[in-house]
Amino acid sequence: MASCFSACWPWAKRPASAQRRTSTDSRGKGSNRQSFFNLSHTKKTEGNKSNAIPKGPSVLDKVLRVVGSRKEEPLAAMSEWMEKTADPQVVSREAIILVLVGLPARGKSFICGAVVRHLKLLGVRVRSFNAGELRRETGKAGIEADFFSSSNLEAFKERERLAMLCCQRLLEWIQAAPPGTSSIGILDATNTTLLRRQRVLETCFAAAQEAHHDEKSAPLRVIFLESLCSDPKILQDNYQMKLSNDDYKGAESSAALDDFKKRVEAYEAQYEPLQEGELDFTQNRPSDAAMPVGSVQIYDGGQKITCCRTGSSLVAAPLISLLHAMHLTRRQILLAPESNSAGQGLPPQSFVEILKNEEEKEGRIMDVICGASKHAVRIAQELSKVPSVPSASGVAAGAPRGRPRCVLNLRALQGRSADGAADGAATAESYADLVRRMRVEVLLLLERLPRSVLVICPGEDVRRVLFAHFCGCSEVDVNHGTLGCPSVTTTSKTL
């Protein structure tokens, strides 16, 4: 990987009026220095804060709850649940338990981190609950592989206890959601046995029955997310990454790798892949409370994805579209400002030099994304003329034969407007507007691109959204027009 260029931006919250109004005089004379972000998919500790938009129950909601108080068949209860979540007044009131399933080193925590960052940026209340971290907190860090063997009954009971404790904490967090908000709680554990998954469903179903009789609680559903992998190269890379966690701190690498492989073998001996029949959990349980159960299965880091019974969830839709865009190709994403601190556009030749230098380091061509302003178009025209850097074999490494460098000008890649939103609204754009505009055309596009990318950003607000999507935020409040992000180490490069 190429060396990282990062920059520190003023993350402190400012009034919306101050964010929209920046005078030329207050900027000073500016400089010819340019700073870069180098983004990578990294797992961050997620905060517990949430964004609440209080809403009272609608008339239709109250009527449906009266109708639902009668004893009904499961199918009728499911129909009622779908009608309630389809009501525009309560469409944001949905609670999802995302239960991860899979052997160790199959990318569950990587997927979890990406989902948390993306949904938090969209304003969804989301948090992960990791069973492994809970085990290490109880003093069982660095425990040997025998602890995970099915023949070790005492260890088996302890692992089940920790997993269900993790699930209970998740449900308590779901139940504490402010009225009118959506929540996604992620149970980050192996959940490799049918018995464990049945216990999770039993616990969640009890919570769904309780929520059904509470007007302040959102309808609850469960989605299993199973990650399967048989690609030897992916597994080898994942095993190496696992050696850096707290279980193997200070351990010799070869001994740690041997121990982890034994742990995987212990899990493989008891692994029961997810079956579609498990989704029928509530069919034989007469109740006035519905708890839909769906599943998503990911093969070899996104080579194949199957979804089952997830279409009726509006909160799950952005989650699934993100999973469809993700891949495991190694690459870097560079964020470069289009203008200097004085608001003056940097010369196109400056970006040509940047592109050449970075491609020489990687030994392969990079894609480029710019905005749609006149200056951005001039930059794109110059960058499209840069010849590809050949690799040792004479073909740009990582690029399909015959595919040139991709240079895109995207209208969605523009800063917030102080005069009105992009859809013609009279009010100025908030960060929620900016995220909504960038999500499909910029964020998911960047997820899909298989090569390293140079993104030339027109403003600080765009850089903040991109940084939040790929690296995470300690706090996001897009509904109020601000975006809080963690500070980063500063370096800069002179052009």
Side-chain angles (χ1 to χ4, degrees), residues 239-261:
Y239 286 177
Q240 291 296 328
M241 292 180 63
K242 281 292 185 180
L243 302 185
S244 62
N245 71 17
D246 291 339
D247 280 339
Y248 300 107
K249 207 174 260 187
E252 198 272 326
S253 59
S254 60
L257 182 60
D258 290 340
D259 181 82
F260 185 75
K261 287 182 177 179

Side-chain angles (χ1 to χ4, degrees), residues 309-321:
R309 305 184 190 180
T310 61
S312 60
S313 171
L314 292 181
V315 176
L319 181 154
I320 293 172
S321 61

Side-chain angles (χ1 to χ4, degrees), residues 351-385:
F351 300 99
V352 171
E353 295 300 322
I354 296 168
L355 187 63
K356 287 181 178 179
N357 292 336
E358 293 302 319
E359 288 185 343
E360 288 177 1
K361 291 178 183 178
E362 287 204 19
R364 59 176 179 173
I365 63 175
M366 298 177 65
D367 293 326
V368 181
I369 295 180
C370 308
S373 66
K374 292 182 179 180
H375 183 56
V377 170
R378 286 194 294 269
I379 294 173
Q381 289 173 343
E382 290 299 320
L383 294 179
S384 62
K385 301 175 184 177

Side-chain angles (χ1 to χ4, degrees), residues 370-441:
C370 308
S373 66
K374 292 182 179 180
H375 183 56
V377 170
R378 286 194 294 269
I379 294 173
Q381 289 173 343
E382 290 299 320
L383 294 179
S384 62
K385 301 175 184 177
V386 177
S388 300
V389 176
S391 65
S393 61
V395 180
R401 187 177 295 275
R403 182 184 169 214
R405 175 186 294 106
C406 176
V407 181
L408 299 176
N409 288 101
L410 302 179
R411 291 187 180 277
L413 192 70
Q414 64 183 47
R416 291 180 298 160
S417 171
D419 300 324
D423 57 7
T427 58
E429 281 189 293
S430 66
Y431 268 103
D433 299 321
L434 180 61
V435 171
R436 173 176 55 82
R437 172 156 55 81
M438 290 179 59
R439 180 180 170 269
V440 175
E441 295 186 46

